[in-house]
């Protein structure tokens, strides 16, 4: 007989005296109504900045609200109704954010596309989602035009068209009047209705659109808030494309709920990235592991140019800083001031996910004084399902489950095609990671066969293999296939 499968319903946030206690918010509503509450509270604060080579465009929460309502009116004029699918094909900026909010305001479903897709791939996914509208950004017009050629029942809209003034000074501080704010079904939708369809693949042969409800995304947001402290004084650098589930969490759901500022780059280059880090007072940065590897490589390359004695001192300081951090004292900014100046003195939190993080590099960055949270999850789990806490240095794990999320490991026989129903009640030190909770998707759009292949009695079978330590922390060890 196999031992009982580890089942973890974890939720930890900092309580008094540094004790981690279970916490989860119970309030669930629609995403657009949450945004409007933020506008009411923080209307004059900057919501989005777009760093361009020759200028900085700023959009306050009130401005972004007006822009989203203007785009919602454009969608209404195109005949978009609640439940319709509306695709976005554009690069990160304030208008992308406004388009996302506008679609939700109409009670419709956001279908964001990868800007690296070919026109043929976009056409395939438009057809698969049954999208009624394709909202296209400036740099994607040609791809969008080619994609809809030959398709029927699809309207193409310029998401940069319905602006209400490029500067906040042109708005006169006026809030939307009754006519502007009318007909916004997205305020009162059932939260169990779909909000977003995220495609996990750009292939033309087997597209799978992950259906996430308002309740899914709100649960993801609330669970993240239980671990990650984000407030109105934070500035979030958004370089991950917004069609990515981690970017949706880091650059939309979290900051727009608390009045934080999001910074986008018109051009994604190392020069513009360094400029943003040094000039935009960035405090939170979520990105894939490869970026942090580049930071690590650059630091070690500079150290390598010094003499033997300097390199020896550097390693001694790293070891001392690491031990001090384990005791709750961060000497990194003192010992490695030039490195922290490069990343920005306000930087307090790195978040990474999407692929395995090299634990050796993680420990080095931790010793340098940076706090790195490694998250694990899939599009099917609304983004993150597990995460390290800011107070743990266990960077060789992907942390414990978020609040409300249950995790089980399926035993080897559950992975066998001969016994597809085995294993939900048993487990082994290593097995397939199964997840259950309010962040798990509704299913794949129009694909009951694909949904049934990964869902079993409410559990989502990730296809990843892992083990759980005595403290409930998950380590990913491989893939089932």
């Amino acid at each position: 007989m196999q031992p009982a499968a580890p089942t973890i319903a974890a939720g930890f946030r900092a309580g008094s005296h540094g004790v981690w206690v279970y916490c989860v918010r119970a309030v669930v509503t629609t995403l657009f109504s949450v945004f409007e509450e933020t506008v009411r509270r923080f209307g004059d604060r900057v919501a989005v900045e777009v760093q361009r080579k020759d200028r900085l465009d700023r959009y306050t929460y009130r401005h972004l609200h007006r822009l989203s309502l203007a785009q919602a009116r454009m969608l209404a004029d195109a005949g978009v109704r609640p439940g319709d699918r509306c695709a976005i094909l554009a690069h990160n900026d304030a208008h992308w954010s406004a388009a996302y909010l506008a679609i939700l305001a109409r009670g419709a479903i956001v279908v964001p596309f990868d800007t690296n897709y070919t026109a043929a791939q976009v056409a395939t996914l438009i057809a698969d989602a049954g999208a009624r509208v394709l909202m296209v950004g400036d740099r994607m017009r040609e791809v969008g035009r080619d994609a809809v050629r030959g398709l029927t029942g699809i309207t193409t809209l310029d998401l940069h068209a319905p602006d209400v003034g490029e500067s906040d000074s042109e708005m006169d501080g006026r809030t939307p009047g009754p006519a502007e704010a009318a007909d916004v079904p997205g305020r009162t939708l059932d939260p169990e209705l779909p909000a977003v369809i995220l495609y996990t693949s750009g292939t033309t042969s087997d597209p799978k659109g992950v259906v996430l409800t308002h309740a899914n995304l709100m649960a993801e947001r609330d669970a993240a808030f239980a671990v990650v402290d984000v407030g109105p004084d934070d500035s979030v650098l958004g370089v991950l494309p917004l069609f990515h589930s981690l970017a949706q969490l880091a650059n939309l759901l979290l900051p727009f709920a608390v009045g934080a500022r999001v910074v986008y780059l018109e051009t994604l280059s190392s020069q513009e990235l360094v400029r943003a880090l040094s000039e935009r007072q960035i405090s939170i940065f979520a990105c894939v592991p490869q970026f942090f590897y580049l930071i690590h490589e650059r630091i070690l390359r500079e150290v390598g140019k010094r003499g033997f004695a300097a390199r020896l001192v550097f390693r001694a300081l790293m070891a001392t800083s690491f031990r001090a951090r384990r005791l709750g004292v961060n000497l990194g900014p003192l010992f490695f001031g030039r490195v922290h100046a490069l990343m920005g003195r306000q930087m307090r939190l790195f978040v990474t996910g999407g692929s395995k993080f090299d634990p050796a590099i993680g420990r080095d960055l931790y010793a340098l004084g940076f706090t790195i949270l490694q998250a694990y999850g899939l599009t099917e789990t609304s983004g993150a399902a597990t995460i390290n806490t800011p107070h743990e240095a266990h960077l060789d794990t992907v942390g414990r489950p978020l609040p409300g999320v249950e995790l089980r490991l399926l035993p080897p026989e559950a992975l066998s095609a001969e016994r597809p129903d085995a294993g939900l009640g048993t487990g082994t030190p290593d097995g397939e990671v199964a997840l259950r909770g309010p962040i798990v998707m509704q299913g794949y759009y129009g694909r009951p066969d694909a949904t049934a292949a990964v869902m079993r009695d409410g559990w989502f079978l990730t296809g990843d293999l892992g083990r759980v330590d005595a403290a409930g922390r998950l380590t990913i060890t491989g893939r089932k296939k």
Side-chain angles (χ1 to χ4, degrees):
M1 179 180 293
Q2 298 288 347
T7 300
I8 307 164
F12 302 89
R13 73 173 303 168
S16 59
H17 309 295
V19 177
W20 290 90
V21 297
Y22 184 81
C23 177
V24 65
R25 299 183 185 184
V27 178
V28 176
T29 182
T30 68
L31 297 171
F32 190 74
S33 65
V34 170
F35 172 71
E36 289 201 310
E37 174 61 19
T38 303
V39 173
R40 186 188 68 80
R41 296 175 58 204
F42 302 106
D44 293 328
R45 296 183 72 98
V46 176
V48 175
E49 289 181 341
V50 181
Q51 177 180 290
R52 305 186 188 278
K53 289 185 177 181
D54 57 347
R55 71 180 191 274
L56 182 71
D57 290 343
R58 288 190 175 95
Y59 298 78
T60 63
Y61 273 93
R62 184 172 293 112
H63 189 176
L64 188 62
H65 184 226
R66 286 170 55 83
L67 182 55
S68 67
L69 290 178
Q71 294 201 13
R73 289 196 301 273
M74 183 173 66
L75 292 171
D77 292 342
V80 172
R81 297 181 178 181
D84 285 343
R85 277 76 64 202
C86 299
I88 301 176
L89 182 64
H91 293 84
N92 292 7
D93 64 6
H95 291 79
W96 200 110
S97 301
Y100 181 94
L101 294 164
I103 295 168
L104 296 177
R106 286 297 303 155
I109 303 169
V110 184
V111 188
F113 290 154
D114 188 333
T115 51
N116 290 316
Y117 285 166
T118 65
Q121 289 173 315
V122 172
T124 296
L125 298 185
I126 288 174
D128 185 76
R132 185 185 184 100
V133 164
L134 175 65
M135 303 185 77
V136 182
D138 286 342
R139 288 181 281 170
M140 299 303 299
R141 287 188 180 124
E142 183 176 348
V143 174
R145 184 186 65 244
D146 293 344
V148 301
R149 186 178 293 125
L151 297 178
T152 58
I154 179 77
T155 301
T156 303
L157 300 176
D158 183 351
L159 73 84
H160 289 94
D163 207 343
V164 290
E166 284 300 323
S167 67
D168 288 311
S169 61
E170 297 177 23
M171 293 167 45
D172 300 323
R174 187 173 63 86
T175 57
E180 296 173 276
D183 193 19
V184 185
R187 292 184 178 126
T188 56
L189 286 177
D190 181 344
E192 297 298 334
L193 289 173
V196 178
I197 298 176
L198 299 178
Y199 277 89
T200 61
S201 172
T203 61
T204 58
S205 58
D206 187 32
K208 290 192 295 185
V210 175
V211 180
L212 301 175
T213 67
H214 290 264
N216 285 149
L217 297 175
M218 294 293 291
E220 173 77 2
R221 185 208 70 171
D222 291 346
F225 273 134
V227 178
V228 182
D229 181 21
V230 183
D233 293 328
D234 277 309
S235 298
V236 182
L237 180 58
V239 298
L240 283 176
L242 284 167
F243 52 78
H244 192 286
S245 58
L246 179 59
Q248 181 175 245
L249 173 64
N251 302 333
L252 291 173
L253 300 180
L254 294 181
F256 285 1
V258 297
R261 174 169 55 101
V262 182
V263 179
Y264 295 123
L265 308 180
E266 179 184 37
T267 303
L268 184 55
S269 65
S270 58
Q271 180 179 353
E272 288 298 295
L273 185 61
V274 169
R275 183 161 76 95
L277 291 171
S278 62
E279 296 180 4
R280 304 308 331 136
Q281 295 81 49
I282 304 300
S283 58
I284 300 175
F285 182 29
C287 201
V288 293
Q290 285 73 16
F291 170 79
F292 300 106
Y293 297 169
L294 292 175
I295 295 176
H296 182 261
E297 181 185 12
R298 178 171 178 175
I299 293 169
L300 292 189
R301 187 169 60 247
E302 291 300 317
V303 173
K305 295 177 181 178
R306 303 177 184 178
F308 175 76
R311 294 197 299 272
L312 204 62
V313 169
F314 179 82
R315 282 299 173 187
L317 291 176
M318 288 271 285
T320 301
S321 178
F322 185 88
R323 289 193 294 270
R325 291 212 69 183
R326 297 298 295 268
L327 297 174
V329 179
N330 188 357
L331 298 175
L334 177 64
F335 286 174
F336 312 106
R338 291 178 61 184
V339 176
H340 283 263
L342 176 67
M343 300 307 299
R345 291 292 183 180
Q346 288 75 30
M347 183 68 71
R348 64 181 185 82
L349 200 61
F350 291 141
V351 182
T352 188
S355 61
K356 182 176 174 58
F357 196 90
D358 186 332
I361 294 178
R363 283 190 288 272
D364 278 355
L365 293 176
Y366 180 81
L368 287 167
F370 297 109
T371 298
I372 304 176
L373 304 187
Q374 184 178 184
Y376 162 75
L378 301 93
T379 305
E380 289 89 341
T381 60
S382 306
T386 73
I387 195 169
N388 294 115
T389 69
H391 302 284
E392 291 180 316
H394 303 280
L395 297 175
D396 52 343
T397 80
V398 291
R400 293 174 286 186
L402 289 171
V405 178
E406 296 176 86
L407 183 154
R408 284 185 176 181
L409 300 181
L410 307 190
E413 61 264 29
L415 310 182
S416 169
E418 288 77 18
R419 298 190 61 188
D421 297 324
L424 286 181
T426 61
T428 62
D430 290 89
E432 181 179 5
V433 177
L435 299 165
R436 183 170 70 177
I439 65 172
V440 173
M441 67 173 180
Q442 191 177 77
Y444 295 117
Y445 183 76
R447 292 292 306 275
D449 57 332
T451 302
V454 297
M455 296 297 300
R456 191 178 306 157
D457 297 330
W459 291 90
F460 169 62
L461 311 185
T462 65
D464 291 319
L465 303 179
R467 67 172 63 101
V468 176
D469 66 18
R473 293 183 291 261
L474 173 68
T475 297
I476 301 298
T477 58
R479 285 287 294 172
K480 186 174 71 170
K481 297 180 181 179

